[in-house]
Amino acid sequence: RVPGISRMWSRWRTKEPQGLDCRFLGKPGQFNLGKPGQFNLGRIEDFGVHPAVHGGRNDGDLMQLVFQRDDHVHAAKLKELLKEQLTGFKETFGKGD
């Protein structure tokens, strides 16, 4: 959770058979799902296995990254991506914070 926001930003499942399953909630339209958005889906294709964005939700777009090995992470790029994605989350759920 993000301090000051009651909505959950991310969920990490550590005991999934497919790997470390990480999901991040962002603002609706944050990813380019056939409409203008903050990110192009190509920005996440290097992370984990079968990265996905689940759009069309009432509460925002959900980015899913599943990591199986260390070389799936690309830490510096992931940090930058999550920083931008978190900004969108705060804009949507932070009530002006």
Side-chain angles (χ1 to χ4, degrees), residues 15-91:
K15 293 181 171 61
E16 294 297 313
Q18 70 268 20
L20 174 62
D21 185 349
C22 304
R23 298 175 188 216
F24 303 89
L25 184 63
K27 75 179 176 183
Q30 189 170 19
F31 290 90
N32 187 356
L33 300 171
K35 59 187 177 201
Q38 183 174 352
F39 294 115
N40 180 302
L41 288 176
R43 294 261 329 262
I44 67 170
E45 68 185 3
D46 290 336
F47 300 107
V49 293
H50 310 297
V53 174
H54 308 283
R57 297 165 43 108
N58 291 332
D59 57 350
D61 290 351
L62 187 70
M63 177 176 67
Q64 180 180 14
L65 304 174
V66 178
F67 302 103
Q68 293 178 340
R69 300 187 320 257
D70 291 350
D71 63 342
H72 286 165
V73 176
H74 311 289
K77 288 182 181 180
L78 181 60
K79 183 177 179 178
E80 173 110 6
L81 175 73
L82 292 180
K83 183 177 177 182
E84 291 179 46
Q85 198 272 341
L86 179 58
T87 297
F89 174 83
K90 288 179 177 179
E91 288 172 3

